[in-house]
Amino acid sequence: MRRMFPILAVLVALAAAWYAAVAPMNIRTALDQAKRAGAVVTPEGARVRHEVSVWRLLAANSEHIPAAYSLDRPRLPTPGQVAGELWKTTGEMALRGRAFSKRSLLYHGWITLQATLWGFALGTTLGILGAIAIVYSRVADMSLMPWAIISQTIPIVALAPMIIVLSSQVGVEGRGVPKAIISAYLCYFPVLVGMVKGLRSPAPSQLDLLKTYNASARQSFFKLRLPASVPYLFASLKVGIAAALVGTIVGELPTGAISGLGARILIGDQFGTPLAIWAALFAAALLAGALVTLLDVIQRITLRRMGVHP
């Protein structure tokens, strides 16, 4: 309970701030609906209403504030509305036997998860191989690392359409491969940096000791460098899996995809349904949390088997 209290305190503070922001964000829409229903709104007249500050509108129309918390299409929905939309598009669909209907977030989450895992596997593999090359080759260290750093300065939103176009030009059909490549692009860098740090973490005295035992480079890698890098690797993987998920969602936006959490966000924006956007965003956050938690469990088991207590 002592460990959970700080987390719960932060959640309560965020929820309170969220609820407090709902009224200022939605008051103009609530007043629009009230005026169409014939209610008296102060200050009167749509001509000047947008020139009046939100706080003045709230003070002069306090009786309309509750309506700002129950709009069908709010600019900022309440946490309860988002939770209701999540349940409607996940649990309720599952109870009806339509868990993988195209209107279910479970279906769209599965589509996004598949591309994320492929991109995560590709990015992790490239990151580990690149780290090994950098640690064991001065040429790779001087050439690969600067380019890896420079590559992260390119906005993924600008790079994603280029990857999609190039994939189609070389005959790659479907949207899965471009999304996995974009996902791997964001994933490999944290893995690369973490593994370089981990492989270089053994002390010089430890490396000298292996030399006195006449250990080969392969033995030094598997007996010392690789075990020492495991904690660094898992820390990087947690960052990498979250980045891979972001890359997949970003990759779904310019592809015109109709499936995936990114597609749900795009469709919600096009049809003016903010609740659908917020539900997809929270579904992505929950998916990222589940993936990071899974990696944390694997880390604890792995380190415990290695005799290291995290």
Side-chain angles (χ1 to χ4, degrees), residues 39-222:
V40 177
V41 174
T42 304
E44 297 179 357
R47 179 176 57 83
V48 299
R49 183 173 54 78
H50 286 283
E51 300 174 4
V52 180
S53 71
V54 168
W55 311 112
R56 184 180 172 188
L57 288 174
L58 288 171
N61 300 277
S62 57
E63 68 276 10
H64 296 292
I65 290 178
Y69 287 85
S70 57
L71 298 174
D72 292 332
R73 293 189 174 186
R75 291 184 178 180
L76 177 63
T78 65
Q81 288 177 311
V82 176
E85 182 69 14
L86 272 174
W87 170 252
K88 179 181 176 181
T89 53
T90 54
E92 190 174 311
M93 298 288 284
L95 292 176
R96 293 179 181 177
R98 302 177 60 191
F100 285 90
S101 164
K102 290 187 177 180
R103 300 183 65 180
S104 171
L105 281 179
L106 294 174
Y107 165 77
H108 293 285
W110 171 244
I111 297 297
T112 298
L113 178 61
Q114 286 180 299
T116 299
L117 294 178
W118 280 111
F120 178 67
L122 177 61
T124 299
T125 301
L126 292 176
I128 293 175
L129 293 178
I132 294 173
I134 288 172
V135 170
Y136 282 94
S137 172
R138 181 171 176 79
V139 174
D141 187 13
M142 298 179 65
S143 59
L144 182 59
M145 182 60 82
W147 283 109
I149 296 172
I150 292 172
S151 69
Q152 298 304 297
T153 64
I154 304 174
I156 189 62
V157 177
L159 191 62
M162 298 169 57
I163 294 175
I164 294 165
V165 171
L166 291 174
S167 299
S168 63
Q169 288 295 319
V170 298
V172 176
E173 298 181 359
R175 301 181 178 93
V177 173
K179 288 194 297 183
I181 294 174
I182 297 167
S183 176
Y185 171 80
L186 289 182
C187 172
Y188 93 98
F189 184 72
V191 176
L192 174 72
V193 174
M195 277 300 291
V196 169
K197 180 68 174 178
L199 292 174
R200 287 176 172 171
S201 62
S205 59
Q206 294 174 314
L207 296 171
D208 291 338
L209 179 61
L210 287 180
K211 289 181 181 179
T212 61
Y213 291 152
N214 199 27
S216 64
R218 179 179 179 181
Q219 290 173 322
S220 298
F221 177 78
F222 285 104

Side-chain angles (χ1 to χ4, degrees), residues 9-32:
V10 171
L11 289 176
V12 170
L14 289 175
W18 188 346
Y19 270 107
V22 168
M25 291 295 296
N26 296 335
I27 188 61
R28 297 188 188 276
T29 306
L31 293 179
D32 278 337

